[in-house]
Amino acid sequence: DKARPIAPTFSHPMRALMHLVGKAWYFVANQMKGEHFIIPSTRDVPRFMRDAMHRFKGAKIEARVLDIEGCYPNMPKEVIRFAMRAIVQEARERGCKGVSVPTRGKERKPTWKKVEGGPYKWISFEVMLDALEFALDQAVFQLKGGRLIRQAKGIPMGDWLSPAMTIGTCGWMEREWMASLHEDVKARFTAARYMDDILLLTAKGDWDSERFHADFQASECYMPPLKLE
């Protein structure tokens, strides 16, 4: 049966709050520090390619496109919770307490600064974490015929927080994996990921890039049951 989110069960204030919290989480995930593959938009790919050409200093570059198979239906919820809480804790250590989210105007952007009044809504980390728990535990859908089901595994389908969960949790996994690599290996490749699609660039030359590709695809960069294809 085809399932659809039962959005009408949310009151208008609840929908508005979750929409703003989703924007706040999206901002926080894309501001994540460290070595990871996150790019905020596919519009960043040309800049990423130019940076790679400069980094590899004229060497031939091989490009491969990979997909994190099963990212949305199989992402372990306990890993989502751990990763997103870790990202918030790092922001707190930098002195941040939440995000001011614009309520109107596409030219306005979220900011760490607490904006009082005006076209912004302040979303504290406490509210963001509560909303995350709610979204993970209350992913309820309606089947044809009216039967209700609750999504037990994976990233909630169609939820306002789902994009940020994907970006942040995969970024956290990438950062953990990158910390295990030798600097000489990291100097020979670079990668960019938008949601669950990865662009991997490797410099051709005096190293076994084919073995690296095989090792990366078979690695534990993304926790089971996730895998690359």
Side-chain angles (χ1 to χ4, degrees):
D1 290 331
K2 186 177 180 180
R4 61 180 178 84
I6 53 171
T9 58
F10 291 111
S11 65
H12 175 69
M14 184 66 170
R15 289 199 303 272
L17 173 63
M18 294 298 282
H19 178 65
L20 291 174
V21 171
K23 286 185 175 182
W25 268 119
Y26 190 84
F27 172 78
V28 170
N30 278 292
Q31 295 293 314
M32 182 178 173
K33 303 296 184 183
E35 293 181 302
H36 51 69
F37 308 156
I38 297 170
I39 56 171
S41 168
T42 54
R43 293 189 297 272
D44 294 314
V45 170
R47 175 190 56 78
F48 168 73
M49 298 291 286
R50 288 193 298 270
D51 290 346
M53 292 169 67
H54 176 75
R55 174 178 178 175
F56 296 140
K57 297 181 173 63
K60 290 184 178 180
I61 299 173
E62 180 177 357
R64 296 193 183 189
V65 177
L66 300 165
D67 175 73
I68 306 175
E69 184 182 358
C71 181
Y72 295 98
N74 294 319
M75 179 78 76
K77 288 190 176 183
E78 64 274 13
V79 178
I80 298 173
R81 286 185 168 93
F82 188 90
M84 301 303 276
R85 287 184 175 275
I87 295 170
V88 163
Q89 181 58 33
E90 291 164 11
R92 280 175 167 155
E93 290 171 359
R94 300 196 303 270
C96 304
K97 297 181 179 180
V99 180
S100 291
V101 180
T103 56
R104 60 181 184 272
K106 292 184 178 180
E107 71 283 359
R108 297 185 177 93
K109 304 298 181 184
T111 175
W112 296 113
K113 183 180 178 181
K114 187 172 184 178
V115 180
E116 301 289 352
Y120 282 88
K121 178 71 173 180
W122 172 251
I123 309 293
S124 69
F125 287 146
E126 288 77 12
V127 170
M128 291 171 61
L129 290 168
D130 286 345
L132 179 77
E133 292 294 332
F134 179 85
L136 288 171
D137 291 336
Q138 305 299 328
V140 180
F141 303 89
Q142 188 175 43
L143 303 178
K144 287 182 179 180
R147 188 163 68 93
L148 302 181
I149 59 172
R150 184 158 68 96
Q151 184 179 339
K153 297 191 299 182
I155 297 169
M157 293 190 298
D159 193 273
W160 288 280
L161 278 63
S162 295
M165 291 183 195
T166 307
I167 295 165
T169 306
C170 290
W172 177 82
M173 292 180 185
E174 290 156 2
R175 195 173 62 181
E176 293 291 302
W177 180 72
M178 288 289 286
S180 70
L181 299 182
H182 192 279
E183 292 299 323
D184 185 59
V185 174
K186 290 193 282 188
R188 297 171 184 265
F189 83 95
T190 186
R193 175 182 50 79
Y194 180 70
M195 296 301 176
D196 62 344
D197 294 317
I198 301 166
L199 176 58
L200 176 67
L201 304 181
T202 53
K204 304 292 285 185
D206 59 346
W207 75 306
D208 193 347
S209 59
E210 287 300 320
R211 180 176 179 180
F212 171 78
H213 285 132
D215 288 347
F216 176 68
Q217 195 158 343
S219 76
E220 296 182 355
C221 178
Y222 303 102
M223 294 182 177
L226 308 183
K227 60 182 179 179
L228 291 167
E229 64 175 5

